[in-house]
Amino acid sequence: MNSSNTRPKILVARRIFPEGIERLEAICDIDYVDQIEPLTKVELAQRLIGKDGALVTGSERIDADTIKDAKALKIISNIAVGFNNFDVEALNQRGIIGTNTPDVLTDTTADMGFALLMAISRRLSEAERWLRDGQWHHWEMGRMLGVDIHHSTLGIMGMGRIGQAIAKRGLAFGMNVIYYNRKPLSKDLEQACQATYVDKETLLKNADHVMLVMPYSADSHHFIGAKELAMMKSTATLVNIARGGIVDDNALVEALQRNQIFGAGLDVYEGEPKLHPGLLDLPNVVLAPHIGSATEKTRYSMMNLAIDNLLAGLAGQKPKTMINPEIWGK
Ligand code: GLV
């Protein structure tokens, strides 16, 4: 057992499950931000001072300013697979380890992509609102006509772990799967997904359903804007389970208002949790509050992996899922 003066000091920057706090308490002295509201940037920087490690979520922005006065910091563990909230270069300059939570959420997030694809294609949210509104009096031939998912063409933008898991779901629906990625998959991986690599324009013009699963970076900012939306079929759907900012929400709202595409299923937004006000008035969009990985099992797995990473880093061991392995041993 560590004596109290050698126990690492950590910040847990947001409320997590109690079992996580119990695990950490056995080893660390915790400064626990037991709330669902994120700290401000200034508060976060202050609370990091004197800490050896921190457990954060995708809402905490970690950059040179936030870690400037945290001289003891060895590791920051993100409870998310996406780490666009980390300035990795700033971490590297200070030799601070950054970690994320890949793999444990792949299938759960792929399920969510498919859920949004199915919900928007078959107009489920719109149909339920209409039914709850007391408008269902007769069966009607032309009521709530959707677009087919089965045997259509699924276009996946970003063919990492989650993209590949979505492709495999598409195969089970008899879909023709095309994808765009910074570079094509190896032949083996392509074969496993039976997916065909195409360029961005070919994907947008041919897909019946466009699914965005790429990481967010300066390169993918507004990857889908007015020009790209104009290339899509008028019967196509767009699903974003990746990050807000990949889609230009203003352009999307305008395209949906004009019925330029069939509809969109969104789990992430520019500037979330604020939403573009136009989205709320549109019938042809299904909106979810960034819950792609939100099943009990997966959220526990994410928390436990993030804790494993944090404790390993604090103990001088290489964490399982480092985002900057290039600094290990330096
Ligand atoms: C969620 O958005 C994540 O990156 O895990």
Side-chain angles (χ1 to χ4, degrees), residues 156-158 180-182 198-201 203-204 210-229 231-232 238 240 243-249 270:
I156 302 174
M157 298 275 197
Y180 172 74
N181 202 36
R182 271 170 303 186
V198 293
D199 61 41
K200 180 178 174 185
E201 187 169 336
L203 187 147
L204 289 167
V210 175
M211 178 84 66
L212 303 174
V213 210
M214 67 230 298
Y216 178 73
S217 67
D219 290 343
S220 60
H221 181 72
H222 286 186
F223 189 77
I224 301 292
K227 181 168 130 244
E228 288 75 18
L229 290 160
M231 288 179 193
M232 289 173 62
L238 176 73
N240 187 5
R243 277 290 181 274
I246 292 178
V247 176
D248 175 348
D249 283 353
E270 281 194 283

Coordinates of all heavy atoms in Angstrom, one line a residue, residues 156-158 180-182 198-201 203-204 210-229 231-232 238 240 243-249 270:
I156 N -19.1 4.9 -47.2 CA -18.5 5.1 -45.9 C -17.3 6.0 -46.0 O -16.4 5.7 -46.8 CB -18.1 3.8 -45.2 CG1 -19.3 2.9 -45.0 CG2 -17.5 4.1 -43.8 CD1 -19.0 1.5 -44.5
M157 N -17.3 7.2 -45.3 CA -16.2 8.1 -45.4 C -15.4 7.9 -44.1 O -15.9 8.3 -43.0 CB -16.7 9.5 -45.4 CG -17.6 9.9 -46.5 SD -16.5 10.4 -47.9 CE -17.6 11.3 -48.9
G158 N -14.2 7.4 -44.2 CA -13.4 7.1 -43.0 C -13.5 5.6 -42.7 O -14.5 5.2 -42.1
Y180 N -14.4 5.8 -48.8 CA -13.3 6.7 -49.1 C -12.5 6.9 -47.8 O -13.1 6.9 -46.7 CB -13.9 8.1 -49.5 CG -12.8 9.1 -49.6 CD1 -11.8 9.1 -50.7 CD2 -12.6 10.1 -48.6 CE1 -10.8 10.0 -50.7 CE2 -11.6 11.0 -48.7 CZ -10.7 11.0 -49.7 OH -9.7 11.9 -49.8
N181 N -11.2 6.9 -47.9 CA -10.3 7.0 -46.8 C -9.1 7.7 -47.2 O -8.8 7.8 -48.4 CB -10.0 5.6 -46.3 CG -9.6 5.5 -44.8 OD1 -10.1 6.3 -44.0 ND2 -8.6 4.7 -44.5
R182 N -8.3 8.2 -46.2 CA -7.1 8.9 -46.6 C -6.2 8.0 -47.5 O -5.6 8.4 -48.5 CB -6.3 9.3 -45.4 CG -6.7 10.7 -45.0 CD -6.1 11.1 -43.6 NE -6.5 10.1 -42.6 CZ -6.2 10.2 -41.3 NH1 -5.5 11.2 -40.9 NH2 -6.6 9.3 -40.5
V198 N -13.2 4.2 -53.4 CA -13.5 5.2 -54.5 C -13.1 6.6 -54.0 O -12.8 6.7 -52.8 CB -15.0 5.2 -54.8 CG1 -15.5 3.9 -55.5 CG2 -15.9 5.6 -53.6
D199 N -13.0 7.5 -55.0 CA -12.7 8.9 -54.5 C -13.9 9.5 -53.9 O -15.0 9.0 -54.0 CB -12.0 9.7 -55.6 CG -12.9 9.9 -56.8 OD1 -14.1 10.1 -56.6 OD2 -12.4 9.8 -58.0
K200 N -13.7 10.7 -53.3 CA -14.7 11.3 -52.5 C -15.9 11.7 -53.4 O -17.1 11.4 -53.1 CB -14.2 12.6 -51.9 CG -15.1 13.5 -51.1 CD -14.4 14.7 -50.5 CE -15.4 15.6 -49.8 NZ -14.8 16.9 -49.3
E201 N -15.6 12.2 -54.6 CA -16.7 12.6 -55.5 C -17.5 11.4 -56.0 O -18.8 11.4 -56.0 CB -16.1 13.4 -56.7 CG -17.2 14.0 -57.6 CD -16.6 15.0 -58.6 OE1 -15.5 15.5 -58.3 OE2 -17.2 15.1 -59.6
L203 N -17.9 8.6 -54.4 CA -18.8 8.2 -53.3 C -20.0 9.0 -53.2 O -21.1 8.5 -53.1 CB -17.9 8.2 -52.0 CG -18.7 7.5 -50.8 CD1 -17.7 6.9 -49.9 CD2 -19.5 8.5 -50.0
L204 N -19.8 10.3 -53.2 CA -21.0 11.2 -53.0 C -22.0 11.1 -54.1 O -23.2 11.1 -53.8 CB -20.5 12.7 -52.9 CG -19.7 13.0 -51.6 CD1 -19.0 14.4 -51.7 CD2 -20.7 13.0 -50.4
V210 N -24.8 7.9 -47.1 CA -23.4 8.4 -46.8 C -23.2 8.4 -45.3 O -24.0 9.0 -44.6 CB -23.1 9.8 -47.4 CG1 -21.7 10.3 -47.0 CG2 -23.3 9.8 -48.9
M211 N -22.2 7.7 -44.9 CA -22.0 7.6 -43.4 C -20.6 8.2 -43.1 O -19.6 7.8 -43.7 CB -22.0 6.1 -43.1 CG -21.7 5.7 -41.7 SD -23.1 5.7 -40.6 CE -24.2 4.4 -41.3
L212 N -20.6 9.1 -42.2 CA -19.3 9.8 -41.9 C -18.7 9.2 -40.6 O -19.4 9.2 -39.5 CB -19.6 11.3 -41.7 CG -20.2 12.0 -42.9 CD1 -20.5 13.4 -42.5 CD2 -19.3 11.9 -44.1
V213 N -17.5 8.7 -40.7 CA -16.9 8.0 -39.5 C -15.5 8.4 -39.4 O -14.7 7.7 -38.7 CB -17.0 6.5 -39.6 CG1 -17.1 5.9 -38.2 CG2 -18.2 6.0 -40.4
M214 N -15.1 9.5 -40.0 CA -13.7 9.9 -40.0 C -13.3 10.7 -38.7 O -14.2 11.4 -38.1 CB -13.3 10.7 -41.2 CG -14.0 12.0 -41.2 SD -14.9 12.4 -42.7 CE -13.5 12.3 -43.8
P215 N -12.0 10.8 -38.4 CA -11.7 11.7 -37.2 C -11.8 13.1 -37.7 O -11.6 13.5 -38.8 CB -10.2 11.3 -36.9 CG -9.8 10.4 -38.0 CD -10.9 10.1 -38.9
Y216 N -12.0 14.0 -36.7 CA -12.0 15.4 -37.0 C -10.6 16.0 -36.8 O -9.9 15.7 -35.9 CB -13.0 16.1 -36.0 CG -13.0 17.6 -36.2 CD1 -13.7 18.1 -37.3 CD2 -12.4 18.5 -35.4 CE1 -13.7 19.5 -37.6 CE2 -12.4 19.9 -35.6 CZ -13.0 20.4 -36.7 OH -13.0 21.7 -37.0
S217 N -10.3 16.8 -37.8 CA -9.0 17.6 -37.8 C -9.2 18.8 -38.7 O -10.2 18.9 -39.3 CB -7.9 16.7 -38.3 OG -8.1 16.5 -39.7
A218 N -8.1 19.6 -38.8 CA -8.2 20.7 -39.7 C -8.5 20.3 -41.1 O -9.2 20.9 -41.8 CB -6.9 21.5 -39.6
D219 N -8.0 19.1 -41.5 CA -8.2 18.6 -42.8 C -9.6 18.2 -43.1 O -10.1 18.2 -44.2 CB -7.3 17.3 -43.1 CG -5.9 17.7 -43.1 OD1 -5.6 18.8 -43.3 OD2 -5.0 16.7 -43.0
S220 N -10.3 17.7 -42.0 CA -11.7 17.2 -42.2 C -12.7 18.3 -41.8 O -13.9 18.0 -41.9 CB -11.9 15.9 -41.5 OG -11.8 16.0 -40.1
H221 N -12.3 19.5 -41.5 CA -13.3 20.5 -41.2 C -14.1 20.9 -42.4 O -13.6 21.1 -43.5 CB -12.5 21.8 -40.7 CG -13.4 22.9 -40.3 ND1 -14.2 22.9 -39.2 CD2 -13.8 24.1 -41.0 CE1 -14.9 24.0 -39.1 NE2 -14.7 24.7 -40.2
H222 N -15.4 20.8 -42.2 CA -16.4 21.1 -43.3 C -16.1 20.2 -44.6 O -16.2 20.6 -45.7 CB -16.4 22.6 -43.7 CG -17.1 23.4 -42.7 ND1 -17.4 24.7 -42.8 CD2 -17.7 23.0 -41.4 CE1 -18.1 25.1 -41.7 NE2 -18.2 24.1 -40.9
F223 N -15.7 19.0 -44.3 CA -15.5 18.0 -45.3 C -16.8 17.8 -46.2 O -16.7 17.5 -47.4 CB -15.1 16.7 -44.7 CG -14.6 15.6 -45.6 CD1 -13.3 15.7 -46.1 CD2 -15.4 14.6 -45.9 CE1 -12.9 14.7 -47.0 CE2 -15.0 13.6 -46.8 CZ -13.7 13.6 -47.3
I224 N -17.9 18.0 -45.5 CA -19.2 18.0 -46.2 C -19.8 19.3 -46.1 O -20.2 19.8 -45.0 CB -20.1 16.9 -45.6 CG1 -19.5 15.5 -45.7 CG2 -21.5 17.0 -46.3 CD1 -19.4 14.9 -47.1
G225 N -19.8 20.1 -47.2 CA -20.4 21.4 -47.3 C -21.4 21.5 -48.4 O -21.8 20.4 -49.0
A226 N -21.7 22.7 -48.8 CA -22.8 22.9 -49.9 C -22.4 22.1 -51.2 O -23.2 21.5 -51.8 CB -22.9 24.4 -50.1
K227 N -21.1 22.2 -51.5 CA -20.6 21.6 -52.8 C -20.8 20.1 -52.7 O -21.4 19.5 -53.7 CB -19.2 21.9 -53.0 CG -18.5 21.4 -54.2 CD -17.2 22.0 -54.5 CE -16.1 21.0 -54.7 NZ -15.1 20.8 -53.8
E228 N -20.5 19.5 -51.6 CA -20.6 18.0 -51.5 C -22.1 17.6 -51.4 O -22.4 16.6 -52.0 CB -19.8 17.5 -50.2 CG -18.3 17.6 -50.3 CD -17.8 19.0 -50.2 OE1 -18.5 19.9 -49.7 OE2 -16.6 19.2 -50.6
L229 N -22.9 18.4 -50.7 CA -24.3 18.0 -50.6 C -24.9 18.1 -51.9 O -25.8 17.3 -52.3 CB -25.0 18.9 -49.6 CG -24.6 18.7 -48.1 CD1 -24.9 19.9 -47.2 CD2 -25.2 17.5 -47.5
M231 N -23.6 17.2 -54.6 CA -23.3 16.1 -55.5 C -24.1 14.8 -55.1 O -24.1 13.9 -55.8 CB -21.8 15.7 -55.2 CG -20.8 16.7 -55.8 SD -19.1 16.1 -55.3 CE -18.2 17.5 -55.7
M232 N -24.7 14.9 -53.9 CA -25.4 13.7 -53.5 C -26.8 13.5 -54.2 O -27.4 14.4 -54.7 CB -25.7 13.7 -51.9 CG -24.4 13.6 -51.1 SD -24.7 13.9 -49.4 CE -25.8 12.6 -48.9
L238 N -27.7 11.1 -45.2 CA -26.3 11.4 -44.7 C -26.4 11.1 -43.2 O -27.3 11.6 -42.5 CB -26.0 12.9 -44.9 CG -24.7 13.4 -44.3 CD1 -23.5 12.9 -45.1 CD2 -24.6 14.9 -44.2
N240 N -24.0 11.3 -39.6 CA -22.7 11.7 -39.0 C -22.7 11.2 -37.6 O -23.4 11.7 -36.7 CB -22.6 13.3 -39.0 CG -21.2 13.7 -38.6 OD1 -20.3 12.9 -38.3 ND2 -21.0 15.0 -38.4
R243 N -17.8 13.5 -35.8 CA -17.6 14.8 -35.0 C -18.4 15.9 -35.7 O -18.4 16.0 -36.9 CB -16.2 15.1 -34.9 CG -15.4 14.4 -33.8 CD -15.7 14.8 -32.4 NE -15.0 14.2 -31.4 CZ -15.3 13.0 -30.9 NH1 -16.4 12.3 -31.3 NH2 -14.5 12.4 -30.0
G244 N -18.9 16.8 -34.8 CA -19.4 18.1 -35.4 C -18.2 18.8 -36.0 O -17.1 18.6 -35.7
G245 N -18.5 19.6 -37.0 CA -17.5 20.3 -37.7 C -17.0 19.6 -39.0 O -16.5 20.3 -39.9
I246 N -17.3 18.3 -39.1 CA -17.0 17.6 -40.3 C -18.0 18.0 -41.3 O -17.7 18.2 -42.5 CB -16.9 16.1 -40.1 CG1 -15.7 15.7 -39.2 CG2 -16.9 15.3 -41.4 CD1 -15.6 14.3 -38.9
V247 N -19.2 18.2 -40.8 CA -20.3 18.7 -41.7 C -20.5 20.2 -41.4 O -20.5 20.7 -40.3 CB -21.6 18.0 -41.4 CG1 -22.8 18.6 -42.2 CG2 -21.5 16.5 -41.7
D248 N -20.7 21.0 -42.5 CA -21.0 22.4 -42.3 C -22.5 22.4 -42.1 O -23.4 22.2 -43.0 CB -20.7 23.1 -43.7 CG -21.1 24.6 -43.7 OD1 -21.9 25.0 -42.8 OD2 -20.7 25.3 -44.6
D249 N -22.9 22.6 -40.8 CA -24.3 22.5 -40.4 C -25.2 23.5 -41.1 O -26.4 23.2 -41.4 CB -24.5 22.6 -38.9 CG -24.0 21.3 -38.2 OD1 -23.8 20.3 -38.8 OD2 -24.0 21.3 -36.9
E270 N -21.8 20.9 -34.9 CA -20.8 22.0 -34.7 C -21.2 22.7 -33.5 O -22.4 23.2 -33.4 CB -20.9 22.9 -35.9 CG -20.3 22.5 -37.2 CD -20.1 23.6 -38.2 OE1 -21.1 24.0 -38.8 OE2 -19.0 24.1 -38.3

